[in-house]
Amino acid sequence: GKSTASDMLSAYYARGCCSRELFTGRKIEEADSFETHLNQHNVIRLDIQRFLFDTSHLDIFIDKIQSAVIKDLESEYGGCFVEDQYGLPGVLDQIYAQTRKGFIFIIDEWDCVFRFAKERKEIQKAWLDFLRGLFKGAQYVELAYMTGILPIKKYGEHSAINIFKEFSMLSPGRLAQYFGFTEEEVNGLCERYGIDYAKAKAWYDGYL
């Protein structure tokens, strides 16, 4: 459900969406902040696997990501920036300085680089350096949300990004109630389809 969660957040926050109907009647609608955030933010949504579906892309994917996002930004903010040696972070800095509008970053499969480049430490380092340069201390970042199956930790001799709070299947923290099926939802489904709830619970308690 990682990509589904990314799509949901994009639909909720992005100015380019009109997603009120999707969230009407959901619990989020009861939140005081619902109207404040619904379709009110600049969202940059990236699926890293789309830039890295072959090992031959390892040497070019970071440049491709930057050029693709900058091209998209030109249609909305072309008069606010000039491309320079600082790449995407430099462009976003200029946009923020001109507009005072930040961005939400939603990055799916952030860690696929480490699966493709298992033996290429220089590629891993370049990717971590890029993410650190994109996020750390940047005024234009309102929120950065990344999905993956690997932890954000130290890779080899190179320390990873230390600005994220990490949630996993084993340590979901306060997000546990929002993922998978809740007890309330399973109970409702059992009633709907005539399944004994106690039996369903016994089946799945095996995962503990």
Side-chain angles (χ1 to χ4, degrees):
K2 299 188 302 297
S3 297
T4 301
S6 297
D7 289 341
M8 177 189 68
L9 291 171
S10 298
Y12 176 64
Y13 285 118
R15 286 197 300 116
C17 294
C18 183
S19 59
R20 180 177 297 275
E21 189 175 332
L22 288 174
F23 297 99
T24 298
R26 308 294 179 186
K27 288 185 179 180
I28 185 65
E29 193 179 23
E30 301 168 10
D32 293 338
S33 61
F34 179 69
E35 295 291 344
T36 303
H37 295 296
L38 180 68
N39 304 143
Q40 296 299 313
H41 296 266
N42 295 318
V43 172
I44 294 176
R45 162 79 156 86
L46 296 171
D47 180 351
I48 303 307
Q49 286 193 128
R50 296 197 63 178
F51 295 91
L52 196 59
F53 50 88
D54 188 275
T55 53
S56 64
H57 301 152
L58 284 169
D59 293 304
I60 61 171
F61 81 99
I62 296 175
D63 288 339
K64 291 294 184 183
I65 288 172
Q66 295 192 86
S67 61
V69 175
I70 290 171
K71 185 177 179 181
D72 278 352
L73 291 170
E74 282 177 349
S75 61
E76 185 82 13
Y77 298 108
C80 296
F81 67 85
V82 176
E83 288 189 60
D84 58 22
Q85 68 270 28
Y86 293 106
L88 180 57
V91 165
L92 293 170
D93 270 331
Q94 292 175 64
I95 292 172
Y96 183 78
Q98 291 279 339
T99 67
R100 310 311 290 179
K101 291 180 180 177
F103 292 82
I104 288 176
F105 296 82
I106 297 175
I107 299 180
D108 200 14
E109 301 284 357
W110 86 277
D111 58 340
C112 69
V113 178
F114 297 93
R115 301 197 296 276
F116 271 85
K118 288 180 182 177
E119 308 302 325
R120 297 193 60 185
K121 300 300 181 185
E122 80 281 6
I123 297 293
Q124 297 179 19
K125 180 181 185 301
W127 177 233
L128 291 171
D129 284 342
F130 171 70
L131 291 177
R132 186 182 294 103
L134 185 63
F135 295 140
K136 196 160 187 177
Q139 288 183 298
Y140 55 74
V141 178
E142 294 183 346
L143 168 71
Y145 177 91
M146 301 199 306
T147 74
I149 60 174
L150 296 177
I152 302 172
K153 62 176 180 60
K154 188 169 183 178
Y155 289 91
E157 297 302 313
H158 197 70
S159 61
I161 315 159
N162 60 5
I163 58 174
F164 283 89
K165 293 179 180 177
E166 193 167 73
F167 302 93
S168 70
M169 293 289 285
L170 295 179
S171 303
R174 65 180 185 276
L175 296 185
Q177 61 182 310
Y178 301 113
F179 290 92
F181 288 96
T182 65
E183 199 164 352
E184 179 185 6
E185 288 168 336
V186 174
N187 213 347
L189 288 169
C190 286
E191 288 180 8
R192 181 176 175 181
Y193 293 105
I195 296 172
D196 183 82
Y197 176 75
K199 286 183 179 178
K201 185 174 182 180
W203 295 338
Y204 286 97
D205 269 355
Y207 285 114
L208 297 178

